[in-house]
Amino acid sequence: MASIIPDSNVEDACASKLKDWKGKNLQSLDVESFSEMMTEVHTLMGVSRLKDDGLPTFSNHVLRVEICGPQEDHISVIDVPGIFRNVIPGKSTREDKSLVRDMVQAYMRNPRSIILTVVPANVDIATQEIIEMAHEFDPDGERTLGVLTKPDLVDKGAEEKVIDLIRGKDMQVRLGWVIVRNLGQSELLGGIHRDAAEEEHRKKHPWSIIGRDSFGIDALKIRIRVTVTANARHAFSSVRSEVSKNLRARQVGLRSLGPERNTMEQQVQYLLDIVSSFQNLTMQALGANYSSNDAFENSNALRLATEVVTRNEKFSEDLSRWGHLIDFNSALPLRADASDIAVKHPKSERRLLSPRKVKNIPEIQGILPESSSVSPPLSHDICSWIGDEYRQSRGFEIGTFNHVLLSSLMKKQSLKWISLANGYIGDIITIVHTYIASGLRQLLERYQSAVDEVDFLLFVERSITPMTLNHYLNDNLEKCRQKRANSIQAKKAFDSPEGKVVRLDDLNHHQNMSNAEHAVQDLQDILESYYKVARKRFVDNVCMQATGYYLMQGPITPTGLLSPSLVSSLGREQLDAIAGEEATLKRKRERLYKEIADLSTARDILL
């Protein structure tokens, strides 16, 4: 039978096509069937068949013809092109010259290859480049056997020189020389039998003085068989070691492909194994049980609990420091004619804050909420700002203020919560997405739920009438009023042996303030107190609901998406699309199975 061994550097598609080809009708190797086969081979290999067809003359692909039978020798004969120096236009190129040389040297370099240096007997042996190449790759001559051809073309009187070469008197080759006599073109056409012609030539003088062990195709067969056996014995230990090494490598390669996934049952089991491993890893990641799996040592992205807690703390810190529009601690005097808010930032706070701390992932960028850079709180008199807002919204209240005003002030003071919260939830989604396997469409729906929850919490805190049952509001309010009273009394205090003291009459002294000033002062105290309560509540809600419930530990988190119930709901086509093996992987697995079987057999024989 005949087949083609593709060049190792050829593309997979071409290699597959060449491997699939098999020769037909070759039982007798008659001229017609062999010629037909060679036409197919030339076409497949892309080499020239006709003069001036523009195709290359040589190829690195190998045509393999196997002859099987009980009387056949177990040996591989590789017929490589002859080395040539001159390029013939239309037949060979400089590239062909290099290709042939590299091909020949590759086979000669193999320490288990027997080198047959085939040289015509009617030329000067010393000028043949193949002899020099053989000496280069086999300097000790342990695997080089000389073959002389065309003895019938040796000039009269030159026979003795050829005979001396065979007897080892000239240009010694350790394994010696064998001379063979093949048929010429006219003899082939005349139907002359090759072996008969060779035996007749051997009997002629002076060739008859050459021993039978150095003349003829049978002698060459025996010499090759002996040389191959000796070379095999010499390489036996290394062959055994190499076979075991290659067997282990193929077994490792097969294991790296994972279990077979050709049938529906195999695909379901494959996915269930992945689900089980993923769930165990997620449980360990959420519990910060990082010592239980070496994977956590190789990737910080898998340390999910740590990544989320660290980002939560940064979100709380950013909202506390950057979240308010105007600094509560400004102590500038109240100006009755204040209008626009002056943008004044301390020199140390003139930089902008980026709400995003984690690098974007392009595939989920489209679902993440937008978040612009945040500037530091304005260093402006907050009383002036509240006063402006009060004057623009007051009605017929007497000594108080419209309750809607507090909602308006809270909404403006918390304006930067939007960017900070959106940046935070975008980072958490990115952290979670980095942790889990990407590509499942359902994940995007779970992510969107977290974004919607942040929008909901922002609306509740910034648009609904301020409300809390938290007693911390009253504590904050009392502290604000006490702080204000202390600042007023401090101006009237004087030193005494017991420290700073204030006269009793001064304690009863009241500031003369208008209704508007009194309302603004109350608004400032209430806004500051409520803002602190709302900020802490908002941070907790975002971290616990948007992150904790929708992304980390709720009933429908992305990390819980991969489950046995999901696998059981998949149909045959879905299973095959998700878990089925690609054609290239199937071919690779089949090849590894065959190589493992062959190497196992070889190992058993060698052992």
Side-chain angles (χ1 to χ4, degrees), residues 327-579:
D327 194 344
F328 283 107
N329 296 322
S330 58
L332 297 176
L334 179 66
R335 299 198 314 273
D337 59 347
S339 55
D340 296 332
I341 298 174
V343 181
K344 296 180 181 179
H345 298 151
K347 291 183 179 180
S348 61
E349 295 283 359
R350 287 177 182 171
R351 63 184 178 86
L352 298 178
L353 174 72
S354 174
R356 293 296 305 277
K357 317 296 181 185
V358 179
K359 186 177 180 181
N360 284 331
I361 297 178
E363 62 197 58
I364 61 172
Q365 187 63 27
I367 70 165
L368 298 184
E370 295 184 4
S371 57
S372 56
S373 297
V374 173
S375 59
L378 301 175
S379 181
H380 175 72
D381 182 8
I382 192 170
C383 287
S384 297
W385 172 62
I386 293 175
D388 290 343
E389 296 293 327
Y390 170 74
R391 282 186 287 273
Q392 294 174 10
S393 62
R394 60 185 173 177
F396 296 103
E397 303 86 4
I398 299 177
T400 182
F401 55 85
N402 189 337
H403 69 89
V404 179
L405 179 57
L406 184 60
S407 296
S408 177
L409 292 173
M410 181 63 191
K411 189 169 186 178
K412 293 180 179 179
Q413 183 72 331
S414 62
L415 180 65
K416 290 185 286 185
W417 287 16
I418 300 174
S419 287
L420 291 171
N422 285 339
Y424 162 79
I425 200 63
D427 279 352
I428 296 296
I429 290 174
T430 304
I431 289 171
V432 173
H433 190 81
T434 302
Y435 170 77
I436 61 178
S438 61
L440 296 176
R441 291 192 302 271
Q442 295 95 323
L443 291 180
L444 302 184
E445 298 175 4
R446 306 294 170 87
Y447 294 158
Q448 189 59 51
S449 298
V451 174
D452 293 342
E453 182 67 11
V454 169
D455 290 340
F456 166 74
L457 293 173
L458 282 168
F459 178 82
V460 169
E461 295 291 353
R462 301 184 63 251
S463 300
I464 293 179
T465 301
M467 188 275 294
T468 181
L469 300 178
N470 193 333
H471 70 277
Y472 188 54
L473 172 65
N474 293 325
D475 292 342
N476 285 340
L477 187 57
E478 185 62 31
K479 288 177 182 177
C480 287
R481 289 171 176 170
Q482 188 63 47
K483 180 179 177 182
R484 186 184 304 280
N486 289 342
S487 65
I488 295 173
Q489 302 301 334
K491 298 176 182 179
K492 302 174 182 179
F494 57 90
D495 294 326
S496 73
E498 287 76 18
K500 294 282 187 180
V501 297
V502 180
R503 293 184 181 88
L504 186 60
D505 292 341
D506 291 335
L507 289 175
N508 297 324
H509 180 74
H510 297 283
Q511 284 185 304
N512 294 320
M513 291 189 297
S514 67
N515 288 341
E517 290 174 329
H518 183 77
V520 168
Q521 182 175 292
D522 278 351
L523 270 172
Q524 180 182 350
D525 293 341
I526 295 173
L527 176 63
E528 183 175 355
S529 301
Y530 181 76
Y531 182 89
K532 290 180 180 178
V533 171
R535 174 175 56 79
K536 293 182 178 181
R537 179 177 62 198
F538 178 67
V539 170
D540 284 345
N541 287 341
V542 168
C543 292
M544 292 184 68
Q545 296 180 36
T547 295
Y549 182 83
Y550 284 102
L551 296 177
M552 301 294 294
Q553 296 174 320
I556 54 171
T557 62
T559 54
L561 178 65
L562 294 177
S563 64
S565 60
L566 174 66
V567 175
S568 63
S569 68
L570 298 175
R572 182 179 295 276
E573 292 184 0
Q574 291 174 309
L575 274 172
D576 192 58
I578 296 173

Side-chain angles (χ1 to χ4, degrees), residues 135-151:
H135 182 72
E136 177 185 352
F137 293 105
D138 181 30
D140 297 329
E142 295 179 344
R143 53 190 182 90
T144 301
L145 178 62
V147 179
L148 292 171
T149 61
K150 302 179 181 179

Side-chain angles (χ1 to χ4, degrees), residues 584-602:
T584 54
L585 186 61
K586 289 181 181 179
R587 287 196 297 269
K588 185 175 182 180
R589 189 186 297 278
E590 290 172 0
R591 176 175 57 81
L592 286 172
Y593 274 135
K594 183 179 184 306
E595 290 176 355
I596 288 173
D598 292 343
L599 288 167
S600 297
T601 302

